[in-house]
Amino acid sequence: MKFTLLCTDGKSNARAGLVETDHGMIETPIFMPVGTAGSVKAVHLTELKDDIKAQIILGNTYHLYLRPGIKVIEAAGGLHKFNGFDRPMLTDSGGFQVFSLSGIRKLNEEGVEFRSHIDGSKHLFTPEKVMDIERSIGADIIMALDECTPGNADYEYARKSLDMTNRWLDRCIKRFNETEPKYGYRQSLFPIVQGCTYKDLRQRSAEFVASKNADGNAIGGLAVGEPTEIMYEMIETVNAILPQDKPRYLMGVGTPANILEAIERGVDMFDCVMPTRNGRNAMLFTKDGIMNMKNKKWEFDFSPIEADGESYVDRIYSKAYLRHLFHSHELLAMQIASIHNLAFYLWLVKEARKHIMAGDFTTWKAKTLEKISYRL
């Protein structure tokens, strides 16, 4: 993988760059729709590629490992062949999912033992096994196994967790270097910076990660319960250390406002379930603010969902019709809302990139942030 830093904002740490993979180019800053189990919920492949214009999507090692299983994915020729998405993909290592299974998992130096949320069967993820699984899935960018500590973890727990994550990273790198891609194209391994909300731990983690000279680096363990201001402080702390010439991926974040704030602090890549999850629950993000499509105020509003929206659904469906679909529990409501929100997120990062390159990102961001955060 190759990363080219094209320009910086000048008044902030915002950057515009280009990531080159064997499955295509990615213009940064970029948002990656989440396709946890190999599909972006409620969105067809043609819509994902042609309407939303997704340049890269994310899959999850934990979920794909459990279902459909690695044998099926290998027999298909990798996830790209299995789901038909021929552009770049990234896989999370499953560390966050295991963190979420706190009641049915055990952590130790070897790895993490957990029970499947599907059938209760017992499994073990070691750094080596996760690398093997991600080789089999075949994403262009794969993540190292880490422990995602809770946002309210005490210092001693966070320190011990970070030490173990660092040791796991060394084992991931060793296994990655001992193995080869399975499908004829290159893969890149990203380490993950941890350290909870403790500045010295974040600094130590960022220095350790930077020393590995990976193709890119990720920032994990944020947006897990800590105050927003602390999240931004941790991003600034980490990005002051991570190399300038490598892409920076902030995992699992977040709201449109979070994304703009993180871009201003030097982040290049994002993913989050929010646009699709909130969309399925009738929340739409727009250029003029946030809409709850179940509200009675839209009952007789026959204007387009968003007249200058980025997706075809914005112009052919009215607010009143979408409200009706949600109240009728029609599946089409979730599809329309998901497509709209993803198109909005991709528009947002594309506009940010445009204004970074024009040199007026800071001014544009201040105006945009006020508008998109307003509750309509």
Side-chain angles (χ1 to χ4, degrees), residues 144 162-173 191-194 200-214 217 238 241-243:
L162 176 59
D163 289 342
M164 186 170 66
T165 289
N166 287 347
R167 292 191 293 271
W168 284 359
L169 174 57
D170 282 335
R171 289 165 58 188
C172 283
I173 292 172
I192 303 173
V193 175
Q194 288 290 350
D200 63 319
L201 295 183
R202 285 283 175 180
Q203 289 173 327
R204 181 154 66 85
S205 180
E207 289 166 358
F208 185 79
V209 162
S211 73
K212 302 305 174 182
N213 196 32
N217 301 296
V238 168
I241 297 168
L242 292 180

Side-chain angles (χ1 to χ4, degrees), residues 42-44 47 312-313 331-340:
V43 179
H44 288 296
E47 293 163 334
Y312 76 94
V313 300
L331 296 179
L332 181 59
M334 295 185 282
Q335 184 177 7
I336 291 170
S338 297
I339 292 168
H340 164 83

Side-chain angles (χ1 to χ4, degrees), residues 17-19 21 23-33 48-49 52-58 80 85-90 140 346 349-350 353:
L18 196 63
V19 176
T21 77
H23 279 101
M25 310 289 272
I26 306 160
E27 297 177 332
T28 63
I30 191 66
F31 179 81
M32 301 179 283
L48 191 63
K49 293 173 63 175
I52 296 166
K53 296 181 175 59
Q55 298 178 39
I56 176 174
I57 64 172
L58 178 146
H80 288 89
F85 190 77
D86 57 2
R87 296 175 185 173
M89 284 196 231
L90 179 150
D140 302 84
L346 268 294
V349 293
K350 184 178 179 181
R353 175 186 171 87

Side-chain angles (χ1 to χ4, degrees), residues 286-288 304-312 314-315 319 340 343-344 347 371:
T286 78
K287 297 172 185 177
D288 294 314
I305 293 171
E306 190 171 19
D308 63 342
E310 299 305 304
S311 170
Y312 76 94
D314 299 325
R315 296 177 287 280
K319 299 181 183 74
H340 164 83
F344 169 80
W347 167 83
K371 289 182 68 177

Side-chain angles (χ1 to χ4, degrees), residues 178-223:
E178 291 171 347
T179 56
E180 295 291 333
K182 294 192 172 185
Y183 308 112
Y185 54 84
R186 293 167 292 182
Q187 293 179 284
S188 293
L189 172 63
F190 281 25
I192 303 173
V193 175
Q194 288 290 350
C196 198
T197 57
Y198 302 104
K199 186 174 182 178
D200 63 319
L201 295 183
R202 285 283 175 180
Q203 289 173 327
R204 181 154 66 85
S205 180
E207 289 166 358
F208 185 79
V209 162
S211 73
K212 302 305 174 182
N213 196 32
D215 287 345
N217 301 296
I219 306 169
L222 294 176

Side-chain angles (χ1 to χ4, degrees), residues 293-312:
M293 297 314 301
K294 290 184 178 180
N295 284 353
K296 190 172 180 60
K297 68 183 295 183
W298 312 120
E299 186 176 11
F300 290 95
D301 189 334
F302 301 108
S303 64
I305 293 171
E306 190 171 19
D308 63 342
E310 299 305 304
S311 170
Y312 76 94

